[in-house]
Amino acid sequence: MAEQISVLVVDDEPVIRAGLSAILDSQADLTVVGTAGDGEEAVEACARLRPDVLLMDINMPRRNGLWALTELGRRGLVGPGRCRVLMVTTFDLDEFVDDALAAGASGFLLKNSSYEELAGAVRAAAAGHSALSPLVTRRIIEGHLNGRQRPSGQELARLEHLTERERDVLGLIGEGLSNAEIAERLVVSLHTVKTHVSRVLTKTGCRSRAQAAVLARNALSSPAPEDAATPQPGVRGRSLE
């Protein structure tokens, strides 16, 4: 029997909550352990139930999904070894995508996604992967970083403790590569890549692979700040493009 993945479903519309729950519960390896109707209920339920994956609408009244995601991060409930969060939106590029990525969302789903895409995204998030295809990951990251010219000192500082190989792995995450593709690119085992990815997330403080991709695209692909007197330790200046 496949290992069970517990899911908390959050949406302010009862019909949608029920529909998503029914779809997920129909999968042999997925179990809906609870539902919530807004951000405040989501935080309380997540703290109590500790689901593997939180499937949450972004736009909700009172407290929205972004507020809940930020609050869960503040409480240390989101990230590797804890809950993974998938944000659901009716728009291809929601106005909150930037902030949700920064707050640690593992991916995004459209409400018109197929049953297979929904279940697959939950499984991917539970496994610690981005719930976006490499193409969509690149488009979202590049689109939302458009106009960013230089990384901040704070962003560069998050890279200081990475080894050379870990920086390589972070850069490839920024390109939207999967673990298998990174293993092929670096000619190492999949287990080795998984270890590097875990260390990268821990050292940089990223709560998700998507958040690490944003950091990589901004801090590794951009020139250092003009007012930096000396290069930051361990930070390469080459582009990943």
Side-chain angles (χ1 to χ4, degrees):
M1 180 178 291
E3 183 177 352
Q4 289 293 300
I5 298 171
S6 58
V7 186
L8 175 64
V9 176
V10 182
D11 195 288
D12 62 300
E13 298 184 37
V15 173
I16 293 181
R17 282 202 308 273
L20 290 173
S21 297
I23 293 169
L24 296 174
D25 266 335
S26 70
Q27 304 295 307
D29 59 334
L30 305 180
T31 301
V32 175
V33 294
T35 63
D38 63 32
E40 288 188 5
E41 291 181 6
V43 171
E44 186 279 329
C46 190
R48 175 168 47 87
L49 299 171
R50 301 299 176 99
D52 298 314
V53 178
L54 174 58
L55 183 66
M56 181 163 58
D57 190 15
I58 290 183
N59 292 297
M60 296 183 289
R62 194 165 67 143
R63 297 290 194 180
N64 64 24
L66 179 58
W67 178 90
L69 177 58
T70 303
E71 179 65 14
L72 289 169
R74 187 184 70 80
R75 297 190 184 190
L77 295 173
V78 175
R82 296 180 288 281
C83 180
R84 306 283 186 168
V85 180
L86 289 176
M87 307 301 287
V88 181
T89 176
T90 56
F91 303 103
D92 195 7
L93 288 178
D94 192 278
E95 61 180 309
F96 295 128
V97 167
D98 266 349
D99 292 333
L101 282 172
S106 291
F108 298 86
L109 284 173
L110 296 179
K111 285 191 176 180
N112 62 357
S113 297
S114 68
Y115 292 2
E116 292 78 12
E117 288 171 336
L118 174 62
V122 170
R123 294 186 184 104
H129 305 312
S130 171
L132 299 168
S133 69
L135 177 61
V136 175
T137 299
R138 283 195 292 270
R139 182 167 57 81
I140 287 179
I141 292 169
E142 290 170 359
H144 285 269
L145 288 177
N146 187 31
R148 293 287 300 275
Q149 298 300 317
R150 298 180 182 279
S152 68
Q154 183 179 20
E155 287 171 325
L156 291 174
R158 295 170 68 183
L159 309 182
E160 289 183 3
H161 300 294
L162 297 181
T163 65
E164 187 73 12
R165 179 44 60 93
E166 288 165 355
R167 286 194 295 275
D168 288 337
V169 170
L170 177 60
L172 294 175
I173 290 174
E175 292 184 21
L177 272 62
S178 67
N179 284 352
E181 291 168 330
I182 293 174
E184 182 178 358
R185 179 78 65 87
L186 298 179
V187 194
V188 296
S189 70
L190 184 59
H191 175 75
T192 297
V193 171
K194 290 180 179 179
T195 299
H196 284 316
V197 170
S198 177
R199 289 174 179 169
V200 165
L201 294 179
T202 298
K203 290 182 178 181
T204 60
C206 293
R207 299 191 186 102
S208 72
R209 192 183 188 94
Q211 191 180 36
V214 171
L215 176 64
R217 296 289 297 186
N218 191 38
L220 291 179
S221 299
S222 303
E226 291 179 338
D227 57 357
T230 57
Q232 291 289 329
V235 178
R236 296 176 302 176
R238 68 177 180 85
S239 170
L240 293 175
E241 297 297 316

